[in-house]
Amino acid sequence: MTEIQRVTVYGSASSRIDPIFIEAGEALGEAIAARGWIQVNGGGRTGLMCAASDGGLRAGGEVEVVILEIFKERGFLHQGIPADKVFVEDNMPGRKKGLYERGDAYIGLPGGLGTYEELMEVLSWRQLGFHRKPIAMLNVDGFYDPLESLLLDSIRRGFVAEGFDSCWCITPDQNELLDWVAGYEPEDFGIGSKVGETRDFG
Ligand code: AMP
């Protein structure tokens, strides 16, 4: 079982979304704090990053953020995060690395292209065996149904490793999601676990 201290939360920077997503983000932030885990996120003052930070801080939890310099300069940093918990990076690969390395687990709230990219990266690196951490997506209002279908179809068609669906949890139930993260027993996946026969150059 992975010892969880920090959980990286990925999620939308957009606030132009249905309030049910904001409520779910706040509730997730509160629940992470209630488990005594430190939340790590992208530090935005908008959308679901903001909601998750608000929930975590309101519940008395610790929130650390890794934000791009340019976002901070433009006023997008959440103002409730203590200065010593704000880690500033000057480029996106550095920022994603900071979010990736800090977390003992990854949780995706609904989001857009940035969130997809972040989740696909941690999923892809899991398949390559670069980490063995749990990856969970909170399926608010069926948001992750299409991605789950795509991933399962990709396994069925041989594009993703057989059995890789053990590496993620997609559920609308926040407690089920956090229990899954807490009890996660990683299976072995690594370079070559999905590629099949290698060509014989005899
Ligand atoms: P998206 O899912 O496309 O809304 O993107 C979420 C990710 O986009 C975040 O983790 C950030 O990398 C980035 N992002 C976009 N806009 C902002 C912003 N105004 N403040 C902070 N992060 C942002």
Side-chain angles (χ1 to χ4, degrees):
M1 217 156 69
T2 322
E3 170 83 29
I4 306 287
Q5 289 183 340
R6 284 181 174 71
V7 177
T8 293
V9 176
Y10 299 117
S12 175
S14 174
S15 294
R16 293 180 296 109
I17 53 179
D18 193 293
I20 58 164
F21 295 114
I22 304 288
E23 285 158 25
E26 290 177 359
L28 180 74
E30 283 172 21
I32 289 171
R35 290 195 184 226
W37 297 342
I38 298 169
Q39 183 193 154
V40 183
N41 72 44
R45 69 190 297 164
T46 57
L48 296 184
M49 282 178 284
C50 181
S53 292
D54 285 346
L57 294 168
R58 194 189 306 141
E62 269 187 64
V63 180
E64 295 178 355
V65 305
V66 187
I67 190 163
L68 264 190
E69 178 93 61
I70 190 162
F71 291 160
K72 187 168 174 262
E73 278 169 12
R74 302 233 177 133
F76 286 120
L77 172 64
H78 189 295
Q79 296 299 292
I81 313 294
D84 64 340
K85 303 290 179 199
V86 177
F87 303 94
V88 182
E89 294 287 340
D90 61 10
N91 59 61
M92 197 53 116
R95 175 159 181 267
K96 286 203 298 169
K97 186 163 180 266
L99 291 168
Y100 167 72
E101 288 182 343
R102 277 192 167 72
D104 301 309
Y106 307 107
I107 298 179
L109 282 163
L113 301 177
T115 303
Y116 303 153
E117 183 199 24
E118 290 159 343
L119 286 171
M120 289 308 111
E121 190 167 80
V122 294
L123 281 166
S124 163
W125 291 356
R126 174 71 183 96
Q127 186 178 236
L128 290 166
F130 296 166
H131 72 85
R132 293 162 64 86
K133 304 174 198 176
I135 301 165
M137 285 151 264
L138 190 62
N139 197 13
V140 184
D141 196 28
F143 182 85
Y144 279 113
D145 287 349
L147 178 64
E148 185 170 31
S149 298
L150 178 69
L151 291 171
L152 291 174
D153 194 47
S154 302
I155 293 174
R156 198 173 50 78
R157 293 173 184 246
F159 290 105
V160 172
E162 221 176 339
F164 193 65
D165 50 325
S166 69
C167 292
W168 76 72
C169 170
I170 298 179
T171 171
D173 183 326
Q174 164 192 291
N175 291 323
E176 184 186 318
L177 180 147
L178 295 177
D179 286 346
W180 181 85
V181 165
Y184 183 65
E185 300 278 359
E187 286 176 32
D188 283 334
F189 286 91
I191 298 167
S193 55
K194 68 149 192 165
V195 293
E197 280 177 35
T198 50
R199 183 173 164 206
D200 184 1
F201 286 93

